[in-house]
Amino acid sequence: MSNDILRLLLGTTLAASVVVLLLHLLRAPLRRWLGAGAAYAAWAAVPAAVIAVLLPAREAPVEWGAIGVVLQPVRAATAAVSSMQAPMWEMLLLAVWLGGMGAMAIGLWRRQHRFVRGLGELRRRGDGLWTSETSRDLPAAVGLFRTRIVVPNDFDSRYDTRERRLIACHERLHVSRGDLVANAVVSALRCVYWFNPVIHLAARRFRVDQELACDADVIWRHPGARRAYGEAMLKAQLEDLPMPLACHWPAPHPLRERIALLGKKLPSARRRALASFVITLMTVAAGYGAWAAQPAQPRAASMPESVIDRDKPPGIRVEGRNGTPPLAIELTAAREPEAASAFARDAEPADEPDRRIDRSKLAPPRYPASRHEGKVVMRLDVGRDGRVTRVGLDRSSGFEDLDQAAMTAARRWYIEPAIEGGRAVASTVRVPVEFSLDEPQAIARRDARASEGNMRNEARMERR
């Protein structure tokens, strides 16, 4: 579990970082050629790349000429607690990541809470705005679910009528465009990737582009108000860092950049349509590129099927191709005393002989594309309902892909629960899975020869 989380975290971090660095290079050209709105909209490529990495990877066809063969297991004498758990360094990294994420979330929440509390009592105005008891870092649109546009207590005296109308238009555009929701997503990404400085750099650039895009929309709606809009900017500048869930009228970046935008020609309707097409194409390309960069997962050309016969032990049948005869594999497992389980408590030891696993649904593991050979020994905790509740690695094959393939398949198995005193009880089984390019008959002959050799060696020792 921890290994899967860390893999996803690494994959999404790399994808997001690459997209952010590319956007950092493309921001200025996009703003110059397609307008400030295009540069702001391009940031949608970052969450698109993250989501794409979380999607299932593409599958590569793999022939079932080599399959995972489940052989007769042996009774376990002891339990190994360490083999049933994730490596210590993985658990430590996961704990550090969770702790950092929690600390980042608390820091952002405290900043937002301190800002909202500093507003004091809000009084509703006749124009739908809210007046604060302070003037610091205002006007601003505040709140994710109950959004309010808060203005300073000297709003009427500091700005004239036209400036007040332009500022209100600016903040209402933030609300209608969903900028507050976008800021919440950025805050969440900062919490998840608190360790990545590229994400924090992207958050600041994102807020700059957000304000510039909103300024461009205001000028597009009020083309004759450029001078009044610039004068309103000169009367307020943000003194502190921007809040995680707020859109401030005083922008958190140099005023010169916003003033310079007012002197530029706005993009035409045709260029705005072109910008929408280009940004959509960039977002799709970023998502597809992140998804395609994942390593392909092997897919069987013809999936094997479980074969359950009342008069025969359960098994797996792989249909032959091109005249090749089908392979039939018998599946059996040995029951372990419940007291031998590393996770069983207050359990009486049970001396029950090895038993067949009836009514099993044991899908064979997928053979990795590496075509390594080896034997994986797993220890499975089986619940009273027959489901495998925990999978542990008792002995590795020496290849991580073989170990992971066997353990992934075992998590989906169903095994008839053990019966004690007329009722089902939890138990532990030890199941070896052998990955071999030979057919099952050849493997059985090889194991029989090895068993005969061991018996002859024991006989020689007794004669001596």
Side-chain angles (χ1 to χ4, degrees), residues 408-446:
T408 300
R411 292 187 181 97
R412 299 191 297 267
W413 287 353
Y414 170 85
I415 300 174
E416 182 182 3
I419 304 297
E420 287 185 2
R423 60 189 182 90
V425 296
S427 61
T428 299
V429 293
R430 187 168 172 268
V431 180
V433 176
E434 181 162 349
F435 291 84
S436 175
L437 301 179
D438 297 329
E439 294 189 356
Q441 295 84 348
I443 298 174
R445 290 194 297 269
R446 183 188 63 196

Side-chain angles (χ1 to χ4, degrees), residues 33-335:
W33 297 333
L34 301 177
Y40 173 55
W43 288 102
V46 177
V50 172
I51 295 174
V53 175
L54 301 178
L55 297 176
R58 68 188 189 281
E59 294 183 340
V62 176
E63 295 293 334
W64 275 92
I67 60 175
V69 182
V70 184
L71 300 178
Q72 176 74 25
V74 183
R75 181 189 298 269
T78 58
V81 178
S82 60
S83 65
M84 304 283 290
Q85 300 175 343
M88 183 59 66
W89 68 270
E90 291 184 3
M91 301 299 295
L92 180 60
L93 284 179
L94 187 61
V96 171
W97 172 64
L98 291 174
M101 183 169 60
M104 187 70 187
I106 292 173
L108 293 178
W109 177 83
R110 290 184 61 183
R111 188 194 304 173
Q112 179 76 17
H113 181 69
R114 185 167 57 248
F115 171 73
V116 174
R117 186 176 57 184
L119 296 176
E121 182 180 356
L122 302 181
R123 298 188 306 274
R124 187 178 181 86
R125 297 163 49 96
D127 55 4
L129 308 181
W130 295 77
T131 302
S132 170
E133 294 180 351
T134 183
S135 61
R136 185 178 180 180
D137 301 337
L138 294 174
V142 182
L144 184 59
F145 301 106
R146 189 181 178 187
T147 305
R148 294 177 177 179
I149 299 176
V150 184
V151 297
N153 51 10
D154 59 349
F155 187 59
D156 293 327
S157 59
R158 186 190 304 185
Y159 305 100
D160 61 30
T161 303
R162 193 177 191 186
E163 292 171 349
R164 291 197 299 269
R165 186 169 64 253
L166 292 172
I167 292 174
C169 177
H170 178 99
E171 297 302 330
R172 289 189 174 107
L173 281 174
H174 275 310
V175 177
S176 62
R177 298 191 319 171
D179 288 345
L180 289 163
V181 177
N183 292 343
V185 173
V186 170
S187 298
L189 290 175
R190 292 184 65 190
C191 292
V192 174
Y193 303 102
W194 58 268
F195 54 88
N196 188 359
V198 175
I199 296 298
H200 299 294
L201 172 66
R204 297 186 67 85
R205 297 291 185 268
F206 172 82
R207 295 297 288 266
V208 170
D209 289 340
Q210 184 182 84
E211 290 300 325
L212 292 175
C214 195
D215 290 342
D217 277 353
V218 173
I219 297 303
W220 188 74
R221 286 168 171 77
H222 303 275
R226 293 174 184 259
R227 182 180 181 84
Y229 196 69
E231 291 175 351
M233 290 181 187
L234 294 173
K235 295 180 181 181
Q237 272 296 290
L238 187 64
E239 301 177 13
D240 203 352
L241 293 175
M243 295 304 106
L245 301 180
C247 292
H248 301 268
W249 162 253
H253 58 86
L255 180 63
R256 183 176 60 182
E257 196 170 3
R258 296 184 71 184
I259 296 296
L261 178 68
L262 300 181
K264 294 180 179 179
K265 183 179 179 180
L266 294 176
S268 62
R270 179 177 299 179
R271 183 162 294 191
R272 290 168 72 95
L274 176 62
S276 299
F277 173 76
V278 171
I279 297 306
T280 301
L281 188 63
M282 288 179 56
T283 304
V284 173
Y288 178 78
W291 176 79
Q294 300 180 78
Q297 298 294 328
R299 173 175 55 86
S302 58
M303 290 296 294
E305 59 175 340
S306 297
V307 179
I308 307 298
D309 194 323
R310 186 173 64 179
D311 300 327
K312 297 179 180 179
I316 298 172
R317 180 182 300 277
V318 183
E319 294 298 334
R321 301 183 64 186
N322 300 325
T324 304
L327 303 180
I329 307 158
E330 182 178 315
L331 304 174
T332 59
R335 182 185 185 276

